[in-house]
Amino acid sequence: MIGAMVETTQRREWEERQQVLIAELQHRTRNLMGVVRSIADKTVRASADLADFRSRYRDRLDALARVQGLLSRLNEHDRVTFDELIQTELAAMDGGISRATLDGPSGIRLRSSTVQTLAMALHELATNAVKYGALGQPQGQLVVSWAFERSSVDNKPWLHIDWRESGVKMPTPGVRTAGTGQGRELIERALPYQLNAKTTYTLGPDGVHCTIAMPVSETAMEVEENASA
Ligand SMILES: Nc1ncnc2c1ncn2[C@@H]1O[C@H](COP(=O)(O)OP(=O)(O)O)[C@@H](O)[C@H]1O
Ligand SMILES: [Mg+2]
């Protein structure tokens, strides 16, 4: 009889846990639908015609799907790390991962709430590099370097990302390209607002230089553990 009671209790606990998981899944799905809709709205505004919309929208949904893939394999204590994110995004570009030089520590853990937006920003940088920059031109070079640092003001952990393209033949200044500036807007305006990030974006004489500094996860700092080990 005691055995039966234990089993009933275990069963009830299991059912409660399932309810929590289902509620969480519904919450995430609703959020994701919101993200998908907002990407559609923004892409419509940025597109020249339907064919242009189709390719931009597909690319962005693919980027979103990739980041969902990273997020979904995690349990609640895990975190997506920056090196995983940049590698995933560049690997999705034609020749991106072989052409780019990546230089930074692995294991910098991102806050879950920031992963999606950062992934979309990296996606904009990478597609721009393919369309106009270092990943689309034979002489072009891309170096992405990053570092972990604690703020001297409040000791909070920050990630500093440096995206530097060089050897790129830039469009003649003053001549407007067909571009809409949506990628640039995401980095210069959305990141500071959504991620509390500090960003710079410069079209230099031989390539884009972009920096992103953003707060990262306070928990379980692999990097510091490794450094002090
Ligand atoms: N990596 C790059 N190399 C050279 N020029 C770039 C690069 N990224 C962006 N640009 C220039 O900045 C413009 C704005 O880019 P963006 O905001 O992403 O809009 P879009 O991709 O729709 O053109 C582009 O049209 C291009 O002229
Ligand atoms: Mg773009």
Side-chain angles (χ1 to χ4, degrees):
M1 214 173 90
I2 290 176
M5 274 166 64
V6 169
E7 231 170 63
T8 313
T9 312
Q10 281 175 346
R11 166 131 202 111
R12 198 178 305 126
E13 280 169 6
W14 184 84
E15 280 171 1
E16 278 164 12
R17 174 115 188 97
Q18 294 303 305
Q19 288 305 319
V20 172
L21 287 176
I22 289 167
E24 172 68 15
L25 190 61
Q26 278 171 343
H27 171 72
R28 286 194 191 188
T29 307
R30 259 197 304 275
N31 271 348
L32 193 56
M33 297 310 289
V35 172
V36 168
R37 184 167 69 183
S38 126
I39 291 177
D41 287 347
K42 288 193 184 128
T43 309
V44 166
R45 267 179 261 137
S47 300
D49 53 31
L50 267 180
D52 187 30
F53 172 81
R54 184 170 190 247
S55 81
R56 284 175 193 258
Y57 191 58
R58 278 192 174 184
D59 282 354
R60 288 183 177 145
L61 283 192
D62 287 347
L64 189 62
R66 284 192 291 276
V67 71
Q68 290 307 310
L70 287 180
L71 287 167
S72 66
R73 76 180 161 65
L74 302 177
N75 67 47
E76 55 206 300
H77 305 298
D78 260 336
R79 287 278 188 274
V80 175
T81 60
F82 178 71
D83 52 301
E84 284 178 306
L85 198 59
I86 185 78
Q87 276 170 19
T88 305
E89 193 45 52
L90 286 176
M93 298 291 138
D94 254 348
I97 201 85
S98 55
R99 295 278 306 276
T101 306
L102 301 186
D103 179 19
S106 55
I108 297 180
R109 297 177 177 192
L110 303 168
R111 292 183 183 170
S112 303
S113 58
T114 65
V115 171
Q116 212 164 56
T117 307
L118 180 61
M120 296 315 286
L122 295 175
H123 174 70
E124 294 306 320
L125 285 169
T127 43
N128 280 354
V130 171
K131 272 205 283 189
Y132 314 108
L135 297 181
Q137 298 181 15
Q139 303 303 316
Q141 292 195 343
L142 167 63
V143 179
V144 185
S145 48
W146 64 95
F148 173 85
E149 208 177 275
R150 282 195 172 273
S151 154
S152 56
V153 182
D154 56 10
N155 206 37
K156 290 238 190 297
W158 283 68
L159 166 65
H160 295 263
I161 306 164
D162 187 287
W163 177 290
R164 189 181 288 274
E165 296 177 32
S166 60
V168 175
K169 275 189 70 172
M170 298 297 277
T172 323
V175 178
R176 277 193 56 87
T177 52
T180 56
Q182 202 195 344
R184 196 171 170 163
E185 184 186 301
L186 174 73
I187 290 156
E188 292 189 304
R189 301 223 252 165
L191 290 191
Y193 176 71
Q194 290 180 21
L195 303 187
N196 195 18
K198 296 185 170 72
T199 63
T200 67
Y201 191 95
T202 331
L203 294 174
D206 76 333
V208 159
H209 181 216
C210 172
T211 64
I212 300 170
M214 57 184 280
V216 289
S217 173
E218 185 66 66
T219 59
M221 212 69 59
E222 259 179 38
V223 173
E224 285 182 312
E225 284 159 18
N226 291 346
S228 59

